[in-house]
Amino acid sequence: MELGEGVLAKPSEVVHGQRELPLLTVQSYSLPLKDGSKFIGDRASGTEFREILSRHRGLASAFGPKPFGSEKTVDIDSKKLDGALAKDRTNPEKRTIERSVEEFAEQFTSVLLRFLQTPEWSGTERVVCGGGLSQGDVGEEVFGRVETLLRGSYPSIEVKRLHHHPDEAGMIGWAFVAPAYVLAQGNGFLAIDIGGTNLRWGIVRVNGPTDDAGSYSVVCKDKWCHAEDNVSRDDVVERMALELRRAADAAGSRGVTLAPFIGLSCPGLVSPDGRILRGVQNLPGDWSDDDFLFPDRIADQVGMIGGAVPTVLLHNDAVIQALSDAPLMVGVERWAAVTLGTGLGNCSFANRTVRPCP
């Protein structure tokens, strides 16, 4: 049976969750550090920040109107939080945010200290922070306090925010993982980023030198909050394939010639054959089933791209998000990243060469 008639030939030498990359080595990711029976990362997630904020709103309501009114804490957007942070010091909403930031920063610091004590994170000079909480003034305030607290033990460490918006970084990072000979066949590629709450997809377009983090942008993008719907694993996979096909159909109108490549990022530990070994408890259904090969499902359902069988690769979402900043990691040998979303993603890297800062 020929290609396009129901069976797709798989590209050779496809390795998922790659560690050895052109710019660097992935030293670790998805480290399962625990405090008793709980993962320590749960103390430094975006979810945990909202829980801390909810508790401080409740405490403040004993002395006056509840900060932010009757709105559920999970529904308070970042603009409102940033706006409260900018208010006068006597404002109860500002005090509530400041107390929440202070408590969360202390917890976040204690988590990073645990990671920094592991062999995988040894020698880390810079920590890059992504995820939903990284955006806005509140995130900037958190990271500033964390850097100050960390420097008591690590005097020269830096804590930075991702250069790209996290919604786009989780797709752009594939530019530094995908085989160069595949990407050279177009000026863009398809990518999917699935998290515990949202599914994001889009076309990554190349706008300049391929070794420059600023040369990539995400077009024809959208997202779906799968956590709000009662969906199965197969429902999510089918939606992914549908949206990828739609994006592929729209590529030409955006001035993009697609390379035959699809990047898939998700939580958890990825095996070289494309199985997800652990760390996907926040996704609907069983994604670590031995018989479930996520990349193969997507390849089969999406089909050909530009008349070619696409290379479909799977990697950890925190790794891909962090790699969007790989060209910016000048002047350091070892660096790490965390993503503050539904859970806490973590990864660490060793640059192949240490380029001097400009």
Side-chain angles (χ1 to χ4, degrees):
M1 185 176 292
E2 294 185 357
L3 298 181
E5 294 185 349
V7 176
L8 296 180
K10 301 296 186 291
S12 61
E13 299 182 2
V14 171
V15 178
H16 305 280
Q18 297 176 78
R19 300 290 189 113
E20 298 297 328
L21 301 173
L23 293 178
L24 48 77
T25 298
V26 182
Q27 296 289 108
S28 69
Y29 69 90
S30 201
L31 286 179
L33 299 187
K34 288 189 174 183
D35 183 5
S37 62
K38 296 183 179 180
F39 290 106
I40 66 166
D42 291 341
R43 302 182 66 244
S45 65
T47 301
E48 176 65 10
F49 175 77
R50 294 284 176 165
E51 290 181 0
I52 290 173
L53 175 59
S54 181
R55 186 171 68 253
H56 281 287
R57 289 179 69 200
L59 292 171
S61 67
F63 303 96
K66 188 175 185 178
F68 304 101
S70 60
E71 191 170 8
K72 292 182 179 179
T73 301
V74 70
D75 294 329
I76 302 173
D77 62 32
S78 59
K79 289 184 179 180
K80 287 184 180 179
L81 297 180
D82 289 348
L85 192 63
K87 291 180 179 179
D88 184 86
R89 294 190 64 86
T90 61
N91 183 279
E93 291 183 355
K94 179 182 177 67
R95 292 200 302 270
T96 299
I97 287 292
E98 287 188 329
R99 289 165 181 164
S100 300
V101 165
E102 182 176 358
E103 181 177 342
F104 181 74
E106 290 176 355
Q107 289 189 189
F108 188 11
T109 301
S110 69
V111 169
L112 288 180
L113 285 170
R114 282 285 303 276
F115 280 112
L116 288 164
Q117 292 162 8
T118 65
E120 294 85 354
W121 279 50
S122 177
T124 294
E125 301 160 77
R126 185 178 298 161
V127 179
V128 182
C129 303
L133 188 59
S134 68
Q135 294 303 293
D137 297 336
V138 170
E140 192 70 19
E141 184 73 14
V142 168
F143 303 147
R145 294 192 184 200
V146 168
E147 183 177 77
T148 299
L149 292 169
L150 280 178
R151 285 188 169 177
S153 301
Y154 297 88
S156 61
I157 201 164
E158 299 175 309
V159 179
K160 301 289 186 181
R161 182 162 57 184
L162 274 176
H163 173 74
H164 294 283
H165 190 286
D167 283 0
E168 300 189 352
M171 292 182 268
I172 289 172
W174 278 109
F176 307 104
V177 179
Y181 74 90
V182 176
L183 294 188
Q185 299 176 49
N187 66 339
F189 59 87
L190 297 173
I192 284 273
D193 179 18
I194 180 170
T197 301
N198 294 304
L199 169 66
R200 301 174 180 86
W201 60 88
I203 298 171
V204 178
R205 182 170 60 195
V206 183
N207 305 310
T210 56
D211 60 350
D212 184 349
S215 293
Y216 299 89
S217 60
V218 180
V219 300
C220 196
K221 62 183 178 180
D222 209 340
K223 71 178 180 179
W224 167 43
C225 183
H226 63 80
E228 293 181 352
D229 297 330
N230 184 22
V231 294
S232 68
R233 181 194 69 192
D234 289 344
D235 291 334
V236 175
V237 173
E238 288 177 9
R239 178 68 180 270
M240 286 187 196
L242 173 64
E243 299 300 346
L244 286 170
R245 288 196 299 268
R246 286 175 173 169
D249 290 342
S253 65
R254 300 301 185 100
V256 177
T257 300
L258 288 176
F261 176 79
I262 301 173
L264 308 173
S265 59
C266 73
L269 186 65
V270 176
S271 70
D273 65 0
R275 289 176 172 81
I276 306 173
L277 303 178
R278 59 168 168 78
V280 281
Q281 61 272 10
N282 290 324
L283 300 184
D286 185 3
W287 292 67
S288 56
D289 180 354
D290 285 343
D291 295 326
F292 176 63
L293 285 172
F294 178 25
D296 287 5
R297 290 277 189 94
I298 291 296
D300 291 341
Q301 293 188 35
V302 172
M304 312 282 270
I305 294 178
V309 179
T311 297
V312 182
L313 290 180
L314 174 66
H315 215 312
N316 175 266
D317 56 350
V319 170
I320 298 301
Q321 196 171 127
L323 288 175
S324 68
D325 264 17
L328 303 175
M329 294 299 111
V330 296
V332 297
E333 179 179 352
R334 298 289 299 272
W335 59 285
V338 290
T339 57
L340 294 83
T342 307
L344 181 79
N346 66 83
C347 46
S348 61
F349 308 93
N351 286 339
R352 293 197 180 282
T353 58
V354 180
R355 293 163 291 159
C357 295

